[in-house]
Amino acid sequence: EPEVTQTPSHQVTQMGQEVILRCVPISNHLYFYWYRQILGQKVEFLVSFYNNEISEKSEIFDDQFSVERPDGSNFTLKIRSTKLEDSAMYFCASKIEGTGRGYTFGSGTRLTVV
Amino acid sequence: AQTVTQSQPEMSVQEAETVTLSCTYDTSENNYYLFWYKQPPSRQMILVIRQEAYKQQNATENRFSVNFQKAAKSFSLKISDSQLGDTAMYFCAFMKNTGTASKLTFGTGTRLQVTL
């Protein structure tokens, strides 16, 4: 079964450093997302991406965050200057169409900011 | 804005027994989807079951079924014949059916422990 692949599985970074989280969505999917989950809390929406532009973003997704789909296969989340409170599990997801079908999550990247 | 409420932070069930996890939601939308996701200790998000709001029939997937009460805005998950592998965090989620890049709104989760 097709998978959404995320790398790395765990990243440790120093406060103030830039990090890039990488995702390879399922190849024929059209909609791409990033969610985050602070340890012990609920999963929160960050941003959705369609047709090479952001469709929607949450209040969390401030100027420190950006997304890119540079080559038609990868989908990246960049955090420009990490803060301690950015420590969380970051999930990439993709879906094939604009309905409730086929919403598939990756296995996540655990980001630890020290 | 939509909200999803899961009022049971933790539940426990014995192996082979049945357990029901509760979820309520608030929305002014009429056309939407509801989901239950399972998150085992690996923290992967795994889709358990999906319900389309325009369908009156409750969704079922093997041992998993839902009780969808649209008027009451309630969407509970029933797990029959519980297995040790069902031990996980369970999240209820809501998605508007806009035909575009709709986001999921999650509840706070219910931690389910299946015991021998």
Side-chain angles (χ1 to χ4, degrees):
Chain A
E1 187 166 331
E3 291 184 343
V4 174
T5 305
Q6 288 187 245
T7 55
S9 57
H10 188 192
Q11 180 151 1
V12 181
T13 189
Q14 288 203 327
M15 194 167 54
Q17 294 296 304
E18 174 184 286
V19 294
I20 297 176
L21 309 184
R22 302 181 191 279
C23 170
V24 180
I26 295 172
S27 61
N28 60 343
H29 283 194
L30 301 176
Y31 300 87
F32 313 108
Y33 305 82
W34 285 99
Y35 289 80
R36 81 169 185 192
Q37 184 184 31
I38 294 171
L39 187 63
Q41 298 187 23
K42 68 177 177 180
V43 180
E44 299 173 292
F45 168 76
L46 290 178
V47 65
S48 58
F49 192 86
Y50 169 70
N51 202 24
N52 285 318
E53 60 183 22
I54 290 174
S55 304
E56 186 179 357
K57 57 185 181 179
S58 71
E59 292 175 354
I60 304 166
F61 195 88
D62 61 21
D63 292 344
Q64 294 296 316
F65 291 88
S66 62
V67 289
E68 250 190 345
R69 189 160 159 77
D71 56 10
S73 62
N74 291 284
F75 180 51
T76 61
L77 174 69
K78 182 193 289 186
I79 308 175
R80 196 162 296 115
S81 177
T82 50
K83 310 187 209 42
L84 293 176
E85 54 265 37
D86 293 327
S87 293
M89 194 78 166
Y90 287 82
F91 292 101
C92 175
S94 68
K95 69 182 172 85
I96 190 168
E97 58 183 66
T99 71
R101 296 185 180 278
Y103 208 118
T104 305
F105 281 86
S107 53
T109 293
R110 183 190 300 272
L111 176 66
T112 303
V113 183
V114 297
Chain B
Q2 285 66 233
T3 59
V4 178
T5 301
Q6 294 180 250
S7 58
Q8 305 153 314
E10 293 185 2
M11 296 276 287
S12 182
V13 64
Q14 284 196 321
E15 199 177 20
E17 297 294 306
T18 296
V19 65
T20 299
L21 309 184
S22 302
C23 173
T24 58
Y25 58 95
D26 189 25
T27 184
S28 57
E29 301 289 330
N30 193 48
N31 193 3
Y32 51 87
Y33 296 90
L34 294 162
F35 305 83
W36 279 97
Y37 279 89
K38 170 184 177 181
Q39 188 179 45
S42 66
R43 298 194 75 182
Q44 172 105 32
M45 295 292 288
I46 302 166
L47 177 64
V48 175
I49 200 163
R50 182 177 71 102
Q51 174 79 42
E52 294 154 331
Y54 62 86
K55 288 188 177 177
Q56 289 190 338
Q57 187 172 6
N58 289 323
T60 62
E61 287 287 341
N62 301 313
R63 297 183 295 108
F64 299 88
S65 61
V66 297
N67 183 3
F68 173 48
Q69 302 289 327
K70 191 172 184 179
K73 295 179 182 172
S74 169
F75 183 61
S76 61
L77 173 70
K78 186 170 84 170
I79 306 174
S80 304
D81 186 25
S82 298
Q83 301 174 358
L84 295 177
D86 296 333
T87 293
M89 197 77 170
Y90 286 81
F91 290 98
C92 179
F94 172 99
M95 187 178 86
K96 287 194 290 188
N97 183 11
T98 61
T100 59
S102 300
K103 66 185 181 191
L104 288 166
T105 300
F106 287 88
T108 50
T110 296
R111 185 176 304 280
L112 177 67
Q113 181 73 46
V114 181
T115 59
L116 291 170

